[in-house]
Amino acid sequence: MMKQKRAVIAGLFVSGMLCTHGEQIVEDLGNFPNSQITQVVPIAVSDDGSVVVGNGVDSVFNDNTNQYDNFETGFRWEKSTGMVGLGNSPSEAWKAQAVSGDGQIIAGVTIAPTLYLNAGETTRYIDGMGYVGAISGDGTTLVGSGGPFPRHFLILKNLSVEKITDLKSTLSPDDPYNDAIPMAISYQGNIIAGSMDTSAFRLKDEVMTTARNDASDLNTIPRAMNSEGSLIVGVRTTSGFLKRGFTWDGASSNVSDLPLGTYNQTEAKDVSGDGSIIIGEGIDGFSRRFAIKWVWEQNAYQGPMLLGDDGTNTISGFSITSANAISRDGTVIVGTGSYGSGGSNMGYRLILDAVVWSGLWEVAEDNVSVDTGKFLGWIDVSSPPWVFIYALGKWAYLPEEFVSEAGGWAYLGQ
């Protein structure tokens, strides 16, 4: 709906309708309902950050031994359902490795080398596949490996496989391509990137380019790319076994290191759809790992910046320890953290541009809407100090100084 700030409400009294925008909020993703062990590792997130997938440890009670059996399995999380396990027992343990942009298709592997594709109540299996590199945002194309070849899949909407292509035969029948490992894919699935020997490769329109930083590097591994495939990020390992986060345009023969800052080593793990934010980890001289991000400003990547130390409203006692994925719209980062030093891994969702709302009703998952029920219906709180009330088609003005200690506010409109 097109909203214009031309009409406001006069003489309205509302209880506790204070909101601010641009805050950073950390949410604990919780645990499996029956789990006896806390071990949750988010690895992928949907376009808008509302769906998170990853892996953890679930538990099932064994009547024969009268105790719980713990097993690793994947999960799907969203606010309305909480954490939902992808496997119900050790024999049905599935590991999640990728998710489509709309959060509806999850790709991963079972305990056997079998690829699975899951969408709600429907699951399809493809035997012989042991690794999923990435799934395109539109959910049509998947890259992975299995058997002797890396492979490129074209997936129908009903999750059946339309075509399986060996990446080796696509590039060349020569043996050097046999070790190509696809790791990243563009949003529409037309560009693939991965590692091959000690170099990174990009495949676009059946034309392959390779790059590395130094001939002595041990490897150059792409981890992700922006939506259009013009920016690839990853990590290379130097001859001295040091990690360096890098960017690559996919066309040149060299990758470019991201700033190290105060860290001895860095790893780039994911990038937002527009390429403005890169997330990953920094490693200090004591081999301690920290969640970090680089931000594109003034025609260069600035940083790295420590997550949780830049105004983030963190959970009491919770420390962010890793950043594994960022949503395509750049608003949500997921990874692991812990309560206290040496605590168990807990999954988190960091909302970078959150609405902080002190009203009586929760902000919806879109992070801008609030349903006040019979009071005022749906309102939009995305433009503080203005609140748009759909039922009235008007804006209400709510600067912080208008709100009383009791949470009420009143004013005469223009």
Side-chain angles (χ1 to χ4, degrees):
M1 175 182 291
M2 182 67 66
K3 305 186 293 289
Q4 297 181 5
K5 298 175 185 175
R6 288 188 288 186
V8 297
I9 303 167
L12 178 67
F13 179 83
V14 181
S15 177
M17 288 186 62
L18 173 64
C19 65
T20 58
H21 203 264
E23 297 289 333
Q24 299 192 35
I25 298 293
V26 176
E27 294 180 339
D28 184 343
L29 299 184
N31 202 1
F32 295 92
N34 298 320
S35 181
Q36 305 299 297
I37 296 177
T38 303
Q39 186 74 22
V40 175
V41 182
I43 62 169
V45 63
S46 63
D47 285 352
D48 62 0
S50 63
V51 176
V52 182
V53 301
N55 301 293
V57 177
D58 201 355
S59 304
V60 61
F61 191 77
N62 189 325
D63 292 328
N64 295 325
T65 62
N66 201 35
Q67 61 184 15
Y68 280 93
D69 292 335
N70 301 315
F71 61 98
E72 293 186 23
T73 190
F75 69 82
R76 182 182 190 275
W77 179 97
E78 58 181 321
K79 206 160 191 175
S80 60
T81 63
M83 190 167 297
V84 177
L86 300 179
N88 299 318
S89 68
S91 62
E92 296 180 356
W94 306 343
K95 287 194 173 182
Q97 294 177 317
V99 66
S100 59
D102 62 5
Q104 297 304 305
I105 301 176
I106 303 170
V109 294
T110 66
I111 54 176
T114 301
L115 167 74
Y116 75 84
L117 300 168
N118 173 264
E121 300 297 323
T122 304
T123 303
R124 295 289 173 83
Y125 299 91
I126 300 95
D127 291 335
M129 303 308 302
Y131 175 77
V132 175
I135 189 170
S136 61
D138 62 9
T140 63
T141 310
L142 181 144
V143 292
S145 60
F149 304 125
R151 286 178 168 174
H152 170 232
F153 297 86
L154 300 181
I155 305 165
L156 295 179
K157 289 184 179 179
N158 63 2
L159 302 187
S160 64
V161 176
E162 179 184 28
K163 182 180 180 181
I164 299 180
T165 304
D166 289 335
L167 188 58
K168 175 184 175 182
S169 62
T170 300
L171 302 174
S172 168
D174 297 335
D175 285 342
Y177 294 105
N178 195 31
D179 62 355
I181 302 175
M183 303 280 291
I185 193 167
S186 61
Y187 195 83
Q188 295 182 339
N190 61 326
I191 302 174
I192 300 169
S195 63
M196 185 181 66
D197 194 17
T198 62
S199 299
F201 77 84
R202 186 191 72 166
L203 180 65
K204 178 182 179 182
D205 299 327
E206 298 189 0
V207 176
M208 185 177 186
T209 54
T210 62
R212 57 186 176 183
N213 183 276
D214 189 277
S216 64
D217 283 351
L218 302 179
N219 56 51
T220 309
I221 303 174
R223 294 282 184 81
M225 65 174 70
N226 65 348
S227 294
E228 63 182 22
S230 60
L231 174 67
I232 298 166
V233 303
V235 59
R236 69 181 183 92
T237 305
T238 70
S239 58
F241 299 96
L242 297 175
K243 305 290 186 182
R244 294 286 186 266
F246 70 78
T247 63
W248 180 36
D249 61 10
S252 62
S253 60
N254 289 287
V255 300
S256 300
D257 286 349
L258 286 160
L260 272 173
T262 60
Y263 299 101
N264 289 43
Q265 306 178 68
T266 59
E267 297 183 21
K269 291 186 174 182
D270 202 2
V271 60
S272 59
D274 63 359
S276 62
I277 304 174
I278 299 172
I279 58 100
E281 294 183 9
I283 307 170
D284 68 9
F286 299 96
S287 298
R288 295 177 300 188
R289 290 178 174 267
F290 302 86
I292 58 175
K293 68 178 179 181
W294 294 268
V295 178
W296 182 262
E297 292 177 348
Q298 299 176 346
N299 297 317
Y301 282 105
Q302 307 297 325
M305 307 167 192
L306 181 65
L307 292 184
D309 192 35
D310 53 1
T312 303
N313 181 14
T314 57
I315 304 168
S316 178
F318 186 86
S319 299
I320 294 174
T321 54
S322 75
N324 297 334
I326 185 170
S327 60
R328 181 176 179 239
D329 64 9
T331 63
V332 175
I333 296 172
V334 299
T336 57
S338 64
Y339 289 95
S341 177
S344 300
N345 279 341
M346 297 293 296
Y348 73 83
R349 188 173 73 132
L350 170 61
I351 304 172
L352 296 178
D353 193 18
V355 171
V356 180
W357 172 257
S358 61
L360 304 177
W361 308 274
E362 292 186 357
V363 179
E365 289 190 14
D366 65 4
N367 198 39
V368 300
S369 304
V370 174
D371 183 5
T372 67
K374 294 181 180 179
F375 182 54
L376 290 172
W378 283 95
I379 61 176
D380 185 304
V381 297
S382 62
S383 304
W386 293 88
V387 175
F388 187 80
I389 304 172
Y390 288 99
L392 301 176
K394 295 182 179 181
W395 289 87
Y397 184 55
L398 179 57
E400 186 172 355
E401 58 267 25
F402 279 23
V403 181
S404 70
E405 293 183 1
W409 61 274
Y411 75 102
L412 291 176
Q414 61 186 23

